[in-house]
Amino acid sequence: SDCNDVEGYPIFILVTRRYGWYFAVVYCLVVMFMMFGLFNVIVAIFVENVIAAAKSSEQLMRKQRLRDQAYLADKMVELLMVVWDAYQRERKRSDHIPITQKMTLEELVELSAPMEIDRMLWNKLRHDEKVKAIFHDLDVAEEDQYKMFDTLDVDLSGTIDVGELCEGIAKLRG
């Protein structure tokens, strides 16, 4: 086996008998020092890997948040397009201003700033399949959708403006 002689006697005991107990103390100290050193290196490698993984995870989360903000902006553009079309149809406007998917959220918010969504229009929108799909994609809970008009109308004016809509939907996500 490892530390035995041919007859099965432990080499440590044989060497201690031959060279004395000083050797045994030195041998134990060297073995203990090597074990502590070895385990210290193993723990250091483990801690280093954990810290590297945490940094990597933090970077991935930051990228995900940025992508998530871009996704929110894209979905808000889709929502505002549907809301704008419904608003224009509801008001039977002859000066219908077409909006396109290429517009940024800021451009859309500026264009649709005068739009005020009343409860009747909101109820129609809430039952629209496109709006339901957008709410689903944005992880707006179904429970939140039932009383969403009251939640979004923060100034209690009886209408929702574009700013209230965008801010409220962003807060209702997830």
Side-chain angles (χ1 to χ4, degrees):
S1 123
D2 291 338
C3 294
N4 296 335
D5 67 358
V6 178
E7 296 174 5
Y9 290 111
I11 292 177
F12 176 73
I13 292 177
L14 294 174
V15 173
T16 302
R17 283 185 188 158
R18 182 166 180 153
Y19 297 108
W21 64 272
Y22 295 112
F23 174 77
V25 170
V26 171
Y27 178 79
C28 287
L29 289 175
V30 168
V31 168
M32 191 170 61
F33 178 74
M34 294 300 289
M35 291 299 249
F36 281 128
L38 178 65
F39 286 120
N40 192 18
V41 169
I42 291 171
V43 168
I45 291 171
F46 175 75
V47 168
E48 183 179 355
N49 287 337
V50 167
I51 290 173
K55 282 182 182 178
S56 174
S57 176
E58 183 178 316
Q59 289 172 344
L60 287 173
M61 287 174 54
R62 189 176 302 126
K63 285 181 184 177
Q64 180 63 30
R65 275 196 304 268
L66 290 175
R67 268 190 245 125
D68 196 39
Q69 290 298 322
Y71 183 74
L72 173 64
D74 290 344
K75 288 298 175 179
M76 289 306 297
V77 166
E78 285 181 47
L79 180 63
L80 284 176
M81 288 175 60
V82 173
V83 171
W84 179 255
D85 286 340
Y87 177 78
Q88 293 290 338
R89 275 185 270 121
E90 183 80 17
R91 302 296 181 260
K92 296 182 176 118
R93 304 273 308 243
S94 60
D95 61 339
H96 182 74
I97 302 170
I99 57 175
T100 65
Q101 189 76 29
K102 295 177 184 176
M103 297 177 88
T104 65
L105 182 59
E106 292 79 19
E107 292 170 335
L108 257 174
V109 167
E110 186 179 321
L111 176 71
S112 58
M115 178 174 59
E116 295 279 328
I117 305 165
D118 60 15
R119 189 176 296 273
M120 189 173 75
L121 178 59
W122 180 257
N123 286 332
K124 287 179 186 177
L125 286 168
R126 195 170 60 84
H127 295 294
D128 184 278
E129 291 303 317
K130 289 180 187 176
V131 174
K132 284 182 183 180
I134 293 169
F135 286 160
H136 175 68
D137 291 344
L138 290 174
D139 293 328
V140 175
E142 286 187 43
E143 307 85 52
D144 293 336
Q145 293 178 26
Y146 294 112
K147 299 265 185 184
M148 192 181 291
F149 185 86
D150 296 325
T151 304
L152 296 177
D153 184 20
V154 292
D155 62 0
L156 303 174
S157 64
T159 61
I160 302 170
D161 63 36
V162 176
E164 290 173 328
L165 179 67
C166 292
E167 288 177 29
I169 301 265
K171 289 179 183 176
L172 288 173
R173 294 187 62 209

